[in-house]
Amino acid sequence: MAEQARISNLDAIEAFRTALAVFMSKARQSVEMALDAVKRTRVWLDVEQPAFWKAQIKQRQKKLDQAQQELMSARMSEFVDTPSVQQMAVRKARAALEEAQAKLERTQGWAREYDRLVAPMVRKLDAMRDYVDTDLTVANASLVEIQKILEAYRETSMPPMSP
């Protein structure tokens, strides 16, 4: 007759199953956090940043208009010989406006490219979430069944205790 397996301690399976459950929980949480970050970044690029830079363009356009008015007044004034301070203010305001316009254009460019660049990584995150939710859940359930089977085997194969 074949030898019997000697099963005396099932703690290793239980410890592994517990560690697997902790890993599943942390992995699921990490994947969800990453997917949330992707969504937040999309909103930031599509809504928040364009609104910010459009407001900056408006504000900077007003400053440029004001600087140009001051330059015009300085040129017409007979008390100012050279309106260099006003000219410098106009150049500075124009540069600030151009910077805001360039940043709005870059933000819009990033928004257009975002899905193309991020989609492959999101697919990997989705695959990881599916792996954790399906494969590892099945593995955890299998470990429970293995524990039950081995426990039942251990109970039936134990020699009777002598008094």
Side-chain angles (χ1 to χ4, degrees), residues 38 113-123:
V38 167
E113 293 294 314
Y114 186 75
D115 288 332
R116 182 183 64 78
L117 296 172
V118 174
M121 292 177 269
V122 169
R123 281 193 295 277

PDB file of all heavy atoms in Angstrom, residues 38 113-123:
ATOM      1  N   VAL A  38      -5.244  59.242 -13.204  1.00  0.00           N
ATOM      2  CA  VAL A  38      -5.385  59.421 -14.650  1.00  0.00           C
ATOM      3  C   VAL A  38      -6.608  60.293 -14.944  1.00  0.00           C
ATOM      4  O   VAL A  38      -6.538  61.229 -15.747  1.00  0.00           O
ATOM      5  CB  VAL A  38      -5.496  58.059 -15.365  1.00  0.00           C
ATOM      6  CG1 VAL A  38      -5.947  58.219 -16.815  1.00  0.00           C
ATOM      7  CG2 VAL A  38      -4.174  57.314 -15.306  1.00  0.00           C
ATOM      8  N   GLU A 113      -2.972  65.000 -26.925  1.00  0.00           N
ATOM      9  CA  GLU A 113      -2.093  63.828 -26.955  1.00  0.00           C
ATOM     10  C   GLU A 113      -2.282  62.895 -25.757  1.00  0.00           C
ATOM     11  O   GLU A 113      -1.780  61.776 -25.766  1.00  0.00           O
ATOM     12  CB  GLU A 113      -0.631  64.277 -27.003  1.00  0.00           C
ATOM     13  CG  GLU A 113      -0.251  64.980 -28.277  1.00  0.00           C
ATOM     14  CD  GLU A 113      -0.312  64.055 -29.474  1.00  0.00           C
ATOM     15  OE1 GLU A 113       0.197  62.919 -29.372  1.00  0.00           O
ATOM     16  OE2 GLU A 113      -0.884  64.449 -30.495  1.00  0.00           O
ATOM     17  N   TYR A 114      -2.989  63.343 -24.755  1.00  0.00           N
ATOM     18  CA  TYR A 114      -3.075  62.614 -23.487  1.00  0.00           C
ATOM     19  C   TYR A 114      -3.581  61.185 -23.663  1.00  0.00           C
ATOM     20  O   TYR A 114      -2.950  60.243 -23.199  1.00  0.00           O
ATOM     21  CB  TYR A 114      -3.972  63.379 -22.505  1.00  0.00           C
ATOM     22  CG  TYR A 114      -3.997  62.787 -21.122  1.00  0.00           C
ATOM     23  CD1 TYR A 114      -2.924  62.961 -20.267  1.00  0.00           C
ATOM     24  CD2 TYR A 114      -5.072  62.045 -20.684  1.00  0.00           C
ATOM     25  CE1 TYR A 114      -2.925  62.421 -18.995  1.00  0.00           C
ATOM     26  CE2 TYR A 114      -5.084  61.497 -19.416  1.00  0.00           C
ATOM     27  CZ  TYR A 114      -4.009  61.694 -18.582  1.00  0.00           C
ATOM     28  OH  TYR A 114      -4.017  61.150 -17.333  1.00  0.00           O
ATOM     29  N   ASP A 115      -4.706  61.034 -24.326  1.00  0.00           N
ATOM     30  CA  ASP A 115      -5.277  59.691 -24.472  1.00  0.00           C
ATOM     31  C   ASP A 115      -4.339  58.753 -25.226  1.00  0.00           C
ATOM     32  O   ASP A 115      -4.179  57.595 -24.847  1.00  0.00           O
ATOM     33  CB  ASP A 115      -6.633  59.755 -25.176  1.00  0.00           C
ATOM     34  CG  ASP A 115      -7.707  60.336 -24.281  1.00  0.00           C
ATOM     35  OD1 ASP A 115      -7.596  60.199 -23.049  1.00  0.00           O
ATOM     36  OD2 ASP A 115      -8.665  60.930 -24.819  1.00  0.00           O
ATOM     37  N   ARG A 116      -3.714  59.250 -26.267  1.00  0.00           N
ATOM     38  CA  ARG A 116      -2.801  58.415 -27.050  1.00  0.00           C
ATOM     39  C   ARG A 116      -1.612  57.962 -26.209  1.00  0.00           C
ATOM     40  O   ARG A 116      -1.170  56.816 -26.298  1.00  0.00           O
ATOM     41  CB  ARG A 116      -2.315  59.179 -28.277  1.00  0.00           C
ATOM     42  CG  ARG A 116      -1.397  58.368 -29.187  1.00  0.00           C
ATOM     43  CD  ARG A 116      -0.871  59.180 -30.352  1.00  0.00           C
ATOM     44  NE  ARG A 116      -0.018  60.284 -29.952  1.00  0.00           N
ATOM     45  CZ  ARG A 116       1.270  60.167 -29.590  1.00  0.00           C
ATOM     46  NH1 ARG A 116       1.827  58.986 -29.566  1.00  0.00           N
ATOM     47  NH2 ARG A 116       1.985  61.222 -29.257  1.00  0.00           N
ATOM     48  N   LEU A 117      -1.120  58.844 -25.367  1.00  0.00           N
ATOM     49  CA  LEU A 117       0.051  58.515 -24.556  1.00  0.00           C
ATOM     50  C   LEU A 117      -0.290  57.674 -23.332  1.00  0.00           C
ATOM     51  O   LEU A 117       0.490  56.816 -22.919  1.00  0.00           O
ATOM     52  CB  LEU A 117       0.751  59.806 -24.106  1.00  0.00           C
ATOM     53  CG  LEU A 117       1.341  60.656 -25.220  1.00  0.00           C
ATOM     54  CD1 LEU A 117       1.821  61.993 -24.678  1.00  0.00           C
ATOM     55  CD2 LEU A 117       2.480  59.924 -25.907  1.00  0.00           C
ATOM     56  N   VAL A 118      -1.446  57.911 -22.755  1.00  0.00           N
ATOM     57  CA  VAL A 118      -1.793  57.271 -21.491  1.00  0.00           C
ATOM     58  C   VAL A 118      -2.564  55.967 -21.694  1.00  0.00           C
ATOM     59  O   VAL A 118      -2.491  55.073 -20.846  1.00  0.00           O
ATOM     60  CB  VAL A 118      -2.590  58.264 -20.612  1.00  0.00           C
ATOM     61  CG1 VAL A 118      -3.102  57.623 -19.352  1.00  0.00           C
ATOM     62  CG2 VAL A 118      -1.708  59.460 -20.265  1.00  0.00           C
ATOM     63  N   ALA A 119      -3.256  55.827 -22.804  1.00  0.00           N
ATOM     64  CA  ALA A 119      -4.107  54.646 -23.033  1.00  0.00           C
ATOM     65  C   ALA A 119      -3.371  53.314 -22.860  1.00  0.00           C
ATOM     66  O   ALA A 119      -3.914  52.404 -22.222  1.00  0.00           O
ATOM     67  CB  ALA A 119      -4.763  54.729 -24.408  1.00  0.00           C
ATOM     68  N   PRO A 120      -2.154  53.145 -23.372  1.00  0.00           N
ATOM     69  CA  PRO A 120      -1.479  51.851 -23.164  1.00  0.00           C
ATOM     70  C   PRO A 120      -1.241  51.535 -21.681  1.00  0.00           C
ATOM     71  O   PRO A 120      -1.380  50.395 -21.250  1.00  0.00           O
ATOM     72  CB  PRO A 120      -0.144  52.010 -23.898  1.00  0.00           C
ATOM     73  CG  PRO A 120      -0.359  53.109 -24.875  1.00  0.00           C
ATOM     74  CD  PRO A 120      -1.375  54.016 -24.266  1.00  0.00           C
ATOM     75  N   MET A 121      -0.924  52.556 -20.911  1.00  0.00           N
ATOM     76  CA  MET A 121      -0.697  52.333 -19.478  1.00  0.00           C
ATOM     77  C   MET A 121      -2.007  52.037 -18.750  1.00  0.00           C
ATOM     78  O   MET A 121      -2.038  51.217 -17.833  1.00  0.00           O
ATOM     79  CB  MET A 121       0.009  53.547 -18.875  1.00  0.00           C
ATOM     80  CG  MET A 121       1.428  53.699 -19.387  1.00  0.00           C
ATOM     81  SD  MET A 121       2.237  55.166 -18.767  1.00  0.00           S
ATOM     82  CE  MET A 121       1.824  56.331 -20.061  1.00  0.00           C
ATOM     83  N   VAL A 122      -3.082  52.691 -19.174  1.00  0.00           N
ATOM     84  CA  VAL A 122      -4.388  52.443 -18.555  1.00  0.00           C
ATOM     85  C   VAL A 122      -4.834  51.012 -18.855  1.00  0.00           C
ATOM     86  O   VAL A 122      -5.401  50.343 -17.979  1.00  0.00           O
ATOM     87  CB  VAL A 122      -5.434  53.479 -19.039  1.00  0.00           C
ATOM     88  CG1 VAL A 122      -6.838  53.084 -18.632  1.00  0.00           C
ATOM     89  CG2 VAL A 122      -5.094  54.854 -18.493  1.00  0.00           C
ATOM     90  N   ARG A 123      -4.561  50.537 -20.064  1.00  0.00           N
ATOM     91  CA  ARG A 123      -4.906  49.148 -20.391  1.00  0.00           C
ATOM     92  C   ARG A 123      -4.163  48.173 -19.476  1.00  0.00           C
ATOM     93  O   ARG A 123      -4.719  47.171 -19.036  1.00  0.00           O
ATOM     94  CB  ARG A 123      -4.609  48.847 -21.858  1.00  0.00           C
ATOM     95  CG  ARG A 123      -5.681  49.374 -22.799  1.00  0.00           C
ATOM     96  CD  ARG A 123      -5.544  48.796 -24.198  1.00  0.00           C
ATOM     97  NE  ARG A 123      -4.323  49.185 -24.881  1.00  0.00           N
ATOM     98  CZ  ARG A 123      -4.144  50.318 -25.545  1.00  0.00           C
ATOM     99  NH1 ARG A 123      -5.136  51.183 -25.621  1.00  0.00           N
ATOM    100  NH2 ARG A 123      -3.009  50.581 -26.147  1.00  0.00           N
TER     101      ARG A 123
END
